[in-house]
Amino acid sequence: RPGIVMSLRTRLFNIYWTLRRAIVPTLKYSQYSYEEALKRYVTSSVEWVEIGCGHSILPSWRANEERQLVKTCKAIFGIDYDLPSLKAHPNISKKLRGDVTKLPFRSEAFDLVTANMVVEHLDNPDEQFREISRILKPKGVFLFHTPNAYGYGVILSKFVPEWLKGKLIYLLEGRQEHDVFPTHYKANTEAQVKALAQANGFEVLQLDLIPTDAIFAMLPPLAALELLWIRLLMTQPFRSLRTNMIVALRKAA
């Protein structure tokens, strides 16, 4: 049965890629954009903390690129509250179970803090951004990738019952229910990010709103309609409704 499911998913993805090339050929998956941003900040002198590291920094099919990034930096620590995810992480050797609200590091210890699809899970971002600022050196950078609260994916998710969310995510993304966590979206608009930055001693280096691939890629008729909407999102008048954010904040000197 797993082989049949995988074969079906592959066929549906092939249909999706055909639609994507025809409707919105210049679309880039947001994880690739985040990876490009990450490579700008990870250098041989950088001491780095990955917040909510889970079982990977990048998507599984970018495992080689992730290994190279980890080798490039001076040191990297991973922190996550979910112990099974931490144990499954293959590329970060220095891993700690902990909470973003009280990070187990000394002040001004790191050059870079990153979070890939984590900020939407923060329940008290003012306190948590302050804690991230505490462990960063002056001019250190907090880089994160997260959904935009005004994106259609977040808006649609508010109408889905909690008991159904895990099953839908498995159907649409192939992600297991145990890898799905509560979301709050308290730091997920431009205004929220700018206010949090100002309140916690950061300046905004980058705040990009970007589209990403279709949520309904596994359902070709819906995917075609969604790709038409994504094409509109790529135009300037619809910028504020794009689905994802990539943000770089620099701690004041």
Side-chain angles (χ1 to χ4, degrees), residues 76-95:
I76 180 170
F77 291 81
I79 186 165
D80 200 297
Y81 196 77
D82 186 64
L83 190 58
S85 295
L86 272 178
K87 288 181 175 179
H89 203 302
N91 294 321
I92 298 178
S93 58
K94 299 172 182 176
K95 297 173 284 190

Side-chain angles (χ1 to χ4, degrees), residues 4-57:
I4 294 171
V5 171
M6 185 61 68
S7 176
L8 178 59
R9 290 184 70 88
T10 300
R11 290 182 184 182
L12 290 171
F13 263 124
N14 287 337
I15 295 169
Y16 171 71
W17 293 125
T18 301
L19 290 169
R20 186 185 190 266
R21 284 191 295 268
I23 297 171
V24 58
T26 59
L27 179 63
K28 181 187 288 187
Y29 184 41
S30 65
Q31 288 286 357
Y32 290 131
S33 299
Y34 175 69
E35 183 182 329
E36 289 170 4
L38 196 54
K39 286 177 178 177
R40 291 197 294 270
Y41 294 103
V42 177
T43 65
S44 59
S45 63
V46 160
E47 293 181 280
W48 170 18
V49 175
E50 171 77 358
I51 299 286
C53 64
H55 46 71
S56 65
I57 300 169

Side-chain angles (χ1 to χ4, degrees), residues 55-86:
H55 46 71
S56 65
I57 300 169
L58 299 173
S60 59
W61 63 90
R62 304 295 288 174
N64 289 334
E65 288 74 14
E66 180 176 317
R67 279 191 290 271
Q68 189 56 48
L69 275 169
V70 168
K71 289 177 184 176
T72 298
C73 68
K74 182 178 178 181
I76 180 170
F77 291 81
I79 186 165
D80 200 297
Y81 196 77
D82 186 64
L83 190 58
S85 295
L86 272 178

